[in-house]
Amino acid sequence: MHRVGVLALDGVVPFELGIPARIFGAARSATGKPLYSVITCSLDGRTVRAEADYDIAVAEDASVLASVDTVVIPPSHALGAIREHGQLPDELRTALEHIRPGTRMVAICTGTFVLAAAGLLDHRPATTHWREAAQLQRLFTTVRVDPNVLFVDDGDVLTSAGVAAGVDVCVHIVRRDHGSAVANDVARSCVVPPWRDGGQAQFIRQPVPEPSTGGTVATRAWALERLDEPLTLAALAAHARVSVRTLTRRFRDEVGISPGQWLAGQRIERARHLLETTDWPIDLVAHHAGFGTGTSLRQHLHSAVGVSPQAYRRTFRSGAALTA
């Protein structure tokens, strides 16, 4: 069983602190066995002062991090010298030294400052809450900070934006570890979206559409039922009974990206699901995902996740999940 250690620092934000236990705790195998165990610790095993009006008691100190496979650092509103000067307190540095080489590291929101101060993000891509991105970049000039995305997966180190983006990165990890079928079950259990791509916008200062304004929900649902068809912006606009310009504006207001970007993302998601859960030929997967040809699918998938369809299938497909 994969062991996840969550390090709670003073000033920890309770919502994000609870995300790993909730998401990973909901992951089950086909036979119903838990796939992860989650252990929450503090630096010294004592009660942690939360950002809310209560304290949090934990069962372990940071020495438990030596025995886990993934470490998650939730955000804190009391990072002090870490956020202001990029310096790790001695006690925290000692705690991080317990972590074995090769352990997967995950930071949610301002937890990214901890990884950066520990030197784990040098010359690597990362993100954090958009309000904190400029400060992160100012302190750690070698980190390639992207303030616009939900999360960044850089292999053994993952960082996410604030609040609900912590859910997205944890569901993504479940998917990476066990495939889309398990991740979708987790999402249903936790009543969260099964997939928001890491590159999706953080919705920075997006205006909330007026209630009287027609939305794109119905058109998006209509399109999802027709991904294998050659959908155009004109066709989407016609279904929504608006102009292409109005449709594009409403998509950006509601989804944070253009209709074309959204449609391409949904087709990539469909293709990934089919690659994970079927043994269909690549051309057939491409057809059902709306890419037309295997060549087009290869180009789009490589651009999105950096691998070919065959390599993706070998990595993520679960033999138990195959369908004829």
Side-chain angles (χ1 to χ4, degrees):
M1 184 183 298
H2 190 104
R3 287 167 58 87
V4 178
V6 183
L7 178 59
L9 303 174
D10 273 339
V12 68
V13 183
F15 178 84
E16 286 94 322
L17 175 65
I19 289 173
R22 192 68 185 89
I23 298 299
F24 295 124
R28 295 288 189 273
S29 70
T31 59
K33 293 182 178 179
L35 295 172
Y36 301 88
S37 64
V38 181
I39 306 154
T40 304
C41 66
S42 65
L43 293 177
D44 54 10
R46 297 177 181 174
T47 298
V48 176
R49 176 171 46 85
E51 177 263 347
D53 61 342
Y54 51 82
D55 293 339
I56 296 172
V58 299
E60 303 285 348
D61 63 31
S63 64
V64 75
L65 298 179
S67 65
V68 303
D69 306 295
T70 294
V71 172
V72 181
I73 302 180
S76 165
H77 285 185
L79 290 178
I82 302 173
R83 184 189 174 279
E84 297 302 321
H85 308 293
Q87 298 173 354
L88 283 182
D90 291 340
E91 188 178 16
L92 177 53
R93 185 177 298 279
T94 299
L96 297 178
E97 290 173 353
H98 290 294
I99 300 171
R100 295 172 298 169
T103 299
R104 181 166 57 195
M105 302 295 297
V106 182
I108 300 174
C109 193
T110 58
T112 301
F113 281 81
V114 176
L115 298 190
L120 298 177
L121 298 179
D122 292 348
H123 307 290
R124 303 183 75 156
T127 193
T128 187
H129 193 289
W130 60 269
R131 284 197 181 99
E132 300 290 337
Q135 175 69 357
L136 182 68
Q137 189 67 86
R138 185 184 71 80
L139 288 175
F140 307 102
T141 57
T142 65
V143 180
R144 304 202 303 274
V145 179
D146 187 342
N148 299 312
V149 298
L150 292 178
F151 62 84
V152 172
D153 180 346
D154 196 36
D156 59 337
V157 178
L158 297 92
T159 53
S160 86
V163 198
V167 175
D168 295 308
V169 73
C170 288
V171 172
H172 169 76
I173 289 170
V174 173
R175 176 180 181 143
R176 201 178 90 172
D177 290 350
H178 299 288
S180 63
V182 173
N184 288 344
D185 284 342
V186 168
R188 281 193 294 271
S189 175
C190 298
V191 198
V192 298
W195 176 77
R196 290 200 300 167
D197 183 67
Q200 187 166 327
Q202 286 190 37
F203 302 95
I204 300 172
R205 296 185 181 177
Q206 293 284 359
V208 177
E210 292 296 328
S212 60
T213 300
T216 63
V217 174
T219 297
R220 281 182 274 149
W222 176 82
L224 287 175
E225 295 176 354
R226 295 165 175 80
L227 288 180
D228 58 339
E229 300 177 11
L231 297 172
T232 63
L233 287 180
L236 294 173
H239 181 271
R241 298 184 179 181
V242 296
S243 67
V244 169
R245 181 177 179 179
T246 298
L247 179 79
T248 300
R249 175 176 55 78
R250 290 182 181 174
F251 254 83
R252 290 194 179 278
D253 285 345
E254 297 175 24
V255 188
I257 53 179
S258 71
Q261 290 171 319
W262 177 85
L263 188 60
Q266 298 306 313
R267 284 176 164 156
I268 286 290
E269 168 65 5
R270 175 70 59 82
R272 290 167 70 171
H273 177 72
L274 292 174
L275 289 169
E276 294 173 22
T277 59
T278 76
D279 56 0
W280 291 353
I282 300 303
D283 283 343
L284 186 58
V285 170
H287 169 74
H288 280 272
F291 288 113
T293 67
T295 299
S296 179
L297 171 58
R298 290 182 186 93
Q299 293 172 344
H300 281 86
L301 189 67
H302 192 276
S303 177
V305 298
V307 297
S308 69
Q310 291 287 14
Y312 184 90
R313 173 171 274 168
R314 285 194 302 269
T315 301
F316 288 97
R317 188 173 63 173
S318 169
L322 286 180
T323 58

